[in-house]
Amino acid sequence: MSASRAVLLSSWRRFLSMRSARPIRLIQLSDTHLFADPAGQLLGITTRRSFEAVLAQVSALAPDILLITGDLVHDESAAAYRYLHETLSRTGLPCACIPGNHDLPELMTQQLGCAAVAPVALRRLGGWNLILLDSRIAGEDGGALSPAQLTQLDELLSGEGSPTLFAVHHQPTAVGSPWLDGIGIANGAALLALCDRYPQIKAILFGHIHQAFAAQSGDCLLLGTPSTCLQFRPASPLFALDDRPPGWRLLTLYPEGHLETQVGYLDGYAEQPQREALGY
Ligand SMILES: [Fe+2]
């Protein structure tokens, strides 16, 4: 076992042993789109640089855990995953990472100690449950949940009433941008139906849409989180970049089962995305 992998595992074990009598602060990052090349850019944003700037900012918020909801790397390289692993290890925080449509699960599993490449994976956060879902369809931008995943979720939730978060890369609902709405979770309605049946599901956290988003399905919050690099323009019918800077989401999870959340941005971040870009 590598030293950094051992650090991540011991961080998680320390976290698991925490008493749940105080609120838990979870930072969600998403769509880091990292490259093997330290200078690698995505449409004008040096993704390692923006990721490190976000990480420095959120470290000051005293989080208990980091969650990264997919599109971890952009160039399908082992080196980019290794860099992510080493950078996360230096935080000393427990981390959970799920894959997005740009990720390669084999490389994630090899290189990233905190990867959760499984159809359904459960992590305990004090008195809360975090359920990590793999919504990828190999070779496609859009996602879906399989019947087997939905059955597994049903079984898991019927025997476990603790307040619960879902984390998934693709969005389970329309967000008002037709080009994005065509590449969400194709059967997102099935996930929302679970929220109706199991009131312990407090929120579904997702990335993929590169923008802040908040809606509700019954009492369940549907929360999209900005990318740590570039943002898509909200409500745009076609691909278009926004000029908002890199961002993140903070969630505070209270022991009795309610949560508070807010999105933060790196105000004044120096790099500007290529606004004229028509895709990536
Ligand atoms: Fe992305």
Side-chain angles (χ1 to χ4, degrees), residues 38-39 42 97 104 111 118 134 137 164 173 178 202 214 235 245 266 275:
L42 186 61
C97 298
L104 290 182
Q111 304 293 337
D134 182 355
I137 303 173
T164 297
T173 189
K202 303 302 181 185
L266 282 182
R275 293 286 303 278

Side-chain angles (χ1 to χ4, degrees), residues 211-225:
Q211 62 193 273
F213 177 84
Q216 275 187 257
S217 176
D219 291 330
C220 180
L221 295 168
L222 310 177
L223 301 172
T225 290

Side-chain angles (χ1 to χ4, degrees), residues 30-33 70-71 101-102 169 207-210 227 232 280:
S30 202
D31 296 87
T32 46
H33 288 273
D71 282 0
N101 47 298
H102 283 275
H169 178 66
H208 191 52
I209 60 171
H210 288 234
S227 164
F232 299 148
Y280 74 104

Side-chain angles (χ1 to χ4, degrees), residues 171-185:
Q171 72 276 17
T173 189
V175 298
S177 278
W179 77 275
L180 281 172
D181 290 343
I183 54 170
I185 299 177

Side-chain angles (χ1 to χ4, degrees), residues 31 42-45 210 227-232 241 244 273 280:
D31 296 87
L42 186 61
L43 302 180
I45 303 294
H210 288 234
S227 164
T228 62
C229 53
L230 50 78
Q231 316 305 343
F232 299 148
L241 293 184
R244 281 193 177 268
Y280 74 104

Side-chain angles (χ1 to χ4, degrees), residues 11-28:
S11 301
W12 194 271
R13 287 195 191 103
R14 234 182 4 256
F15 181 71
L16 289 179
S17 65
M18 272 176 32
R19 285 170 56 85
S20 59
R22 68 169 178 83
I24 293 164
R25 290 164 74 81
L26 180 152
I27 291 286
Q28 183 192 358

